[in-house]
Amino acid sequence: MGKVMVTTVDASEVAKFEAMSAEWWDPHGKFKPLHMMNPVRLDYITTQIAGEFDRDVTANHPFDGLRILDIGCGGGLLCEPMARLGATVIGVDAAGGNIPVAQTHARQSGLDIDYRHTTAEDMAAAGEQFDVVINMEVVEHVADPQAYLTACQQLLKPGGLHLCSTINRNPKSFAVAIVGAEYVMRWLPKGTHEWQKFITPDELYDLISKAGLTPVDRKGYVFNPVTWRWSISDRDLSVNYVTAAIKPA
């Protein structure tokens, strides 16, 4: 009998993103919110990696020698910049339709990125390990956040860095992420997010800690409707936010 793999993948969530896969690199398409948010996401990610591994981001290929995993990589919006910074990058996604899109774009960009249609659990079971695990806007789409974050912890080398962003659960996040993004601005197809699956910063810190990681930082991503730009906030974690945690050495 074949080995039964444990997974926290939610098939209905995967199907949503599979349907949108061809649009990943269209800055005006269904992933417009991610393209707009990408500069602040990258700023946070590169700052945290540089701080943890004592790298100078102004140097040529500052992330040389670092093995980075991006879970839920989509079309590769974060994988490509990490590869340009010199990291060895593996991008995985449970939505198989995203992988050829990411592979094609990486080829066109002259980048060597290892994209795989697999899950965090399968990679952890195979014993793979990384210096950095990037886990952006995935945890609110999985069936079992605790099991999923435990797999992320297993994928890290001792002293490794885990970066995880998600959406807070409160009346404001319902108004902004659901009503605003999906119904008013039509940024995302209706049903992309389920408000009850959103996780508060304290809940996420608790889940991360129970998974065996030490939380070290959290910041908010704040959208300004006047300037139409995102920025990072030390205080406002009311809707989108990001965390950093370390695997004890």
Short mmCIF file of all heavy atoms in Angstrom, two decimals, residues 191-221:
data_model
loop_
_atom_site.label_atom_id
_atom_site.label_comp_id
_atom_site.label_asym_id
_atom_site.label_seq_id
_atom_site.Cartn_x
_atom_site.Cartn_y
_atom_site.Cartn_z
N GLY A 191 -15.36 35.81 -2.87
CA GLY A 191 -15.12 34.50 -2.27
C GLY A 191 -13.64 34.13 -2.16
O GLY A 191 -13.30 33.05 -1.71
N THR A 192 -12.74 35.06 -2.57
CA THR A 192 -11.30 34.77 -2.46
C THR A 192 -10.93 34.54 -0.99
O THR A 192 -10.15 33.64 -0.67
CB THR A 192 -10.46 35.93 -3.03
OG1 THR A 192 -10.78 36.09 -4.41
CG2 THR A 192 -8.97 35.65 -2.89
N HIS A 193 -11.49 35.35 -0.11
CA HIS A 193 -11.18 35.22 1.32
C HIS A 193 -12.42 34.83 2.12
O HIS A 193 -13.54 35.19 1.76
CB HIS A 193 -10.64 36.55 1.86
CG HIS A 193 -9.27 36.87 1.37
ND1 HIS A 193 -9.00 37.90 0.50
CD2 HIS A 193 -8.09 36.28 1.64
CE1 HIS A 193 -7.71 37.92 0.24
NE2 HIS A 193 -7.12 36.96 0.92
N GLU A 194 -12.17 34.11 3.20
CA GLU A 194 -13.24 33.78 4.14
C GLU A 194 -12.87 34.42 5.48
O GLU A 194 -11.88 34.03 6.10
CB GLU A 194 -13.38 32.26 4.29
CG GLU A 194 -13.90 31.60 3.02
CD GLU A 194 -13.90 30.09 3.12
OE1 GLU A 194 -14.33 29.58 4.18
OE2 GLU A 194 -13.45 29.43 2.16
N TRP A 195 -13.69 35.38 5.91
CA TRP A 195 -13.36 36.19 7.07
C TRP A 195 -13.12 35.35 8.33
O TRP A 195 -12.20 35.62 9.10
CB TRP A 195 -14.47 37.21 7.33
CG TRP A 195 -14.19 38.14 8.47
CD1 TRP A 195 -13.38 39.24 8.47
CD2 TRP A 195 -14.73 38.05 9.79
NE1 TRP A 195 -13.38 39.84 9.70
CE2 TRP A 195 -14.20 39.13 10.54
CE3 TRP A 195 -15.61 37.17 10.42
CZ2 TRP A 195 -14.53 39.35 11.87
CZ3 TRP A 195 -15.93 37.38 11.75
CH2 TRP A 195 -15.39 38.47 12.46
N GLN A 196 -13.90 34.27 8.48
CA GLN A 196 -13.75 33.46 9.71
C GLN A 196 -12.41 32.72 9.75
O GLN A 196 -11.99 32.25 10.80
CB GLN A 196 -14.93 32.48 9.87
CG GLN A 196 -15.00 31.36 8.84
CD GLN A 196 -15.80 31.75 7.60
OE1 GLN A 196 -15.94 32.92 7.30
NE2 GLN A 196 -16.31 30.75 6.90
N LYS A 197 -11.72 32.63 8.58
CA LYS A 197 -10.42 31.98 8.55
C LYS A 197 -9.28 32.95 8.87
O LYS A 197 -8.13 32.53 9.01
CB LYS A 197 -10.17 31.35 7.17
CG LYS A 197 -10.93 30.07 6.92
CD LYS A 197 -10.44 29.42 5.63
CE LYS A 197 -10.93 27.99 5.51
NZ LYS A 197 -10.36 27.33 4.33
N PHE A 198 -9.59 34.25 8.95
CA PHE A 198 -8.55 35.23 9.27
C PHE A 198 -8.07 34.98 10.70
O PHE A 198 -8.77 34.41 11.53
CB PHE A 198 -9.08 36.65 9.13
CG PHE A 198 -9.36 37.08 7.71
CD1 PHE A 198 -9.99 38.29 7.46
CD2 PHE A 198 -9.00 36.29 6.62
CE1 PHE A 198 -10.25 38.70 6.15
CE2 PHE A 198 -9.26 36.69 5.31
CZ PHE A 198 -9.89 37.90 5.08
N ILE A 199 -6.84 35.41 11.00
CA ILE A 199 -6.17 35.09 12.26
C ILE A 199 -5.65 36.38 12.89
O ILE A 199 -4.99 37.17 12.22
CB ILE A 199 -5.00 34.11 11.99
CG1 ILE A 199 -5.52 32.80 11.37
CG2 ILE A 199 -4.21 33.82 13.27
CD1 ILE A 199 -4.43 31.91 10.80
N THR A 200 -5.93 36.58 14.16
CA THR A 200 -5.43 37.79 14.82
C THR A 200 -3.93 37.65 15.09
O THR A 200 -3.41 36.53 15.16
CB THR A 200 -6.14 38.05 16.17
OG1 THR A 200 -5.71 37.05 17.11
CG2 THR A 200 -7.67 38.02 16.04
N PRO A 201 -3.21 38.78 15.24
CA PRO A 201 -1.77 38.71 15.51
C PRO A 201 -1.44 37.88 16.75
O PRO A 201 -0.47 37.11 16.75
CB PRO A 201 -1.37 40.17 15.69
CG PRO A 201 -2.36 40.93 14.86
CD PRO A 201 -3.65 40.18 15.01
N ASP A 202 -2.24 38.00 17.81
CA ASP A 202 -1.97 37.21 19.03
C ASP A 202 -2.18 35.72 18.78
O ASP A 202 -1.42 34.88 19.25
CB ASP A 202 -2.86 37.69 20.19
CG ASP A 202 -2.41 39.04 20.74
OD1 ASP A 202 -1.30 39.50 20.37
OD2 ASP A 202 -3.16 39.64 21.52
N GLU A 203 -3.23 35.40 18.01
CA GLU A 203 -3.48 33.99 17.67
C GLU A 203 -2.32 33.44 16.84
O GLU A 203 -1.88 32.30 17.06
CB GLU A 203 -4.79 33.86 16.89
CG GLU A 203 -6.04 34.03 17.74
CD GLU A 203 -7.32 34.16 16.92
OE1 GLU A 203 -7.24 34.31 15.68
OE2 GLU A 203 -8.40 34.12 17.52
N LEU A 204 -1.83 34.24 15.88
CA LEU A 204 -0.74 33.76 15.03
C LEU A 204 0.53 33.57 15.85
O LEU A 204 1.24 32.57 15.69
CB LEU A 204 -0.49 34.72 13.87
CG LEU A 204 0.53 34.23 12.84
CD1 LEU A 204 0.11 32.91 12.19
CD2 LEU A 204 0.78 35.28 11.76
N TYR A 205 0.84 34.51 16.74
CA TYR A 205 2.01 34.36 17.61
C TYR A 205 1.90 33.07 18.42
O TYR A 205 2.88 32.35 18.60
CB TYR A 205 2.11 35.57 18.56
CG TYR A 205 3.18 36.58 18.17
CD1 TYR A 205 3.57 36.76 16.84
CD2 TYR A 205 3.81 37.37 19.15
CE1 TYR A 205 4.54 37.69 16.50
CE2 TYR A 205 4.78 38.30 18.81
CZ TYR A 205 5.14 38.46 17.48
OH TYR A 205 6.10 39.37 17.14
N ASP A 206 0.69 32.78 18.90
CA ASP A 206 0.45 31.57 19.69
C ASP A 206 0.67 30.31 18.84
O ASP A 206 1.34 29.36 19.26
CB ASP A 206 -0.97 31.60 20.26
CG ASP A 206 -1.20 30.52 21.30
OD1 ASP A 206 -0.31 30.33 22.17
OD2 ASP A 206 -2.25 29.85 21.26
N LEU A 207 0.12 30.32 17.63
CA LEU A 207 0.29 29.17 16.71
C LEU A 207 1.77 28.97 16.36
O LEU A 207 2.26 27.84 16.34
CB LEU A 207 -0.50 29.42 15.42
CG LEU A 207 -2.03 29.33 15.51
CD1 LEU A 207 -2.68 29.96 14.27
CD2 LEU A 207 -2.49 27.89 15.66
N ILE A 208 2.47 30.06 16.08
CA ILE A 208 3.89 30.00 15.72
C ILE A 208 4.71 29.45 16.89
O ILE A 208 5.58 28.59 16.72
CB ILE A 208 4.40 31.40 15.30
CG1 ILE A 208 3.83 31.78 13.92
CG2 ILE A 208 5.92 31.46 15.27
CD1 ILE A 208 4.05 33.23 13.52
N SER A 209 4.41 29.92 18.10
CA SER A 209 5.12 29.46 19.30
C SER A 209 4.88 27.97 19.54
O SER A 209 5.81 27.21 19.83
CB SER A 209 4.68 30.26 20.53
OG SER A 209 4.98 31.63 20.36
N LYS A 210 3.61 27.54 19.40
CA LYS A 210 3.27 26.13 19.59
C LYS A 210 3.93 25.25 18.53
O LYS A 210 4.15 24.06 18.76
CB LYS A 210 1.75 25.94 19.56
CG LYS A 210 1.07 26.37 20.86
CD LYS A 210 -0.44 26.18 20.80
CE LYS A 210 -1.08 26.57 22.12
NZ LYS A 210 -2.54 26.77 21.98
N ALA A 211 4.24 25.84 17.37
CA ALA A 211 4.91 25.09 16.30
C ALA A 211 6.40 24.92 16.58
O ALA A 211 7.09 24.20 15.85
CB ALA A 211 4.70 25.79 14.96
N GLY A 212 6.91 25.60 17.63
CA GLY A 212 8.32 25.45 17.98
C GLY A 212 9.22 26.57 17.47
O GLY A 212 10.44 26.41 17.41
N LEU A 213 8.61 27.70 17.11
CA LEU A 213 9.38 28.86 16.65
C LEU A 213 9.28 29.98 17.68
O LEU A 213 8.34 30.03 18.47
CB LEU A 213 8.84 29.36 15.31
CG LEU A 213 8.95 28.39 14.13
CD1 LEU A 213 8.09 28.86 12.97
CD2 LEU A 213 10.40 28.24 13.68
N THR A 214 10.26 30.88 17.65
CA THR A 214 10.27 32.01 18.58
C THR A 214 9.92 33.29 17.81
O THR A 214 10.73 33.77 17.01
CB THR A 214 11.65 32.18 19.23
OG1 THR A 214 12.02 30.94 19.86
CG2 THR A 214 11.64 33.29 20.27
N PRO A 215 8.72 33.85 18.02
CA PRO A 215 8.36 35.09 17.33
C PRO A 215 9.26 36.24 17.77
O PRO A 215 9.53 36.39 18.96
CB PRO A 215 6.91 35.35 17.76
CG PRO A 215 6.41 34.04 18.29
CD PRO A 215 7.62 33.37 18.88
N VAL A 216 9.73 37.04 16.80
CA VAL A 216 10.64 38.14 17.14
C VAL A 216 10.17 39.50 16.62
O VAL A 216 10.68 40.53 17.05
CB VAL A 216 12.08 37.87 16.61
CG1 VAL A 216 12.73 36.72 17.36
CG2 VAL A 216 12.09 37.61 15.10
N ASP A 217 9.18 39.51 15.72
CA ASP A 217 8.76 40.81 15.17
C ASP A 217 7.39 40.68 14.51
O ASP A 217 7.02 39.62 14.02
CB ASP A 217 9.78 41.30 14.13
CG ASP A 217 9.47 42.71 13.65
OD1 ASP A 217 9.48 43.63 14.48
OD2 ASP A 217 9.20 42.90 12.45
N ARG A 218 6.65 41.78 14.54
CA ARG A 218 5.43 41.86 13.73
C ARG A 218 5.18 43.32 13.35
O ARG A 218 5.45 44.24 14.11
CB ARG A 218 4.23 41.26 14.46
CG ARG A 218 3.84 41.90 15.76
CD ARG A 218 2.76 41.06 16.43
NE ARG A 218 2.26 41.64 17.66
CZ ARG A 218 1.44 41.01 18.50
NH1 ARG A 218 1.03 39.78 18.23
NH2 ARG A 218 1.01 41.59 19.60
N LYS A 219 4.71 43.48 12.10
CA LYS A 219 4.44 44.82 11.57
C LYS A 219 3.14 44.77 10.78
O LYS A 219 2.71 43.70 10.31
CB LYS A 219 5.56 45.26 10.62
CG LYS A 219 6.94 45.40 11.26
CD LYS A 219 7.16 46.77 11.85
CE LYS A 219 8.64 47.04 12.19
NZ LYS A 219 9.19 46.15 13.21
N GLY A 220 2.54 45.94 10.58
CA GLY A 220 1.35 46.01 9.75
C GLY A 220 1.67 46.50 8.35
O GLY A 220 2.63 47.24 8.16
N TYR A 221 0.87 46.05 7.40
CA TYR A 221 0.89 46.63 6.05
C TYR A 221 -0.35 47.51 5.96
O TYR A 221 -1.47 47.03 6.15
CB TYR A 221 0.77 45.56 4.96
CG TYR A 221 1.93 44.60 4.84
CD1 TYR A 221 1.70 43.27 4.53
CD2 TYR A 221 3.26 45.03 4.97
CE1 TYR A 221 2.75 42.37 4.36
CE2 TYR A 221 4.31 44.14 4.82
CZ TYR A 221 4.05 42.82 4.52
OH TYR A 221 5.07 41.93 4.36
#
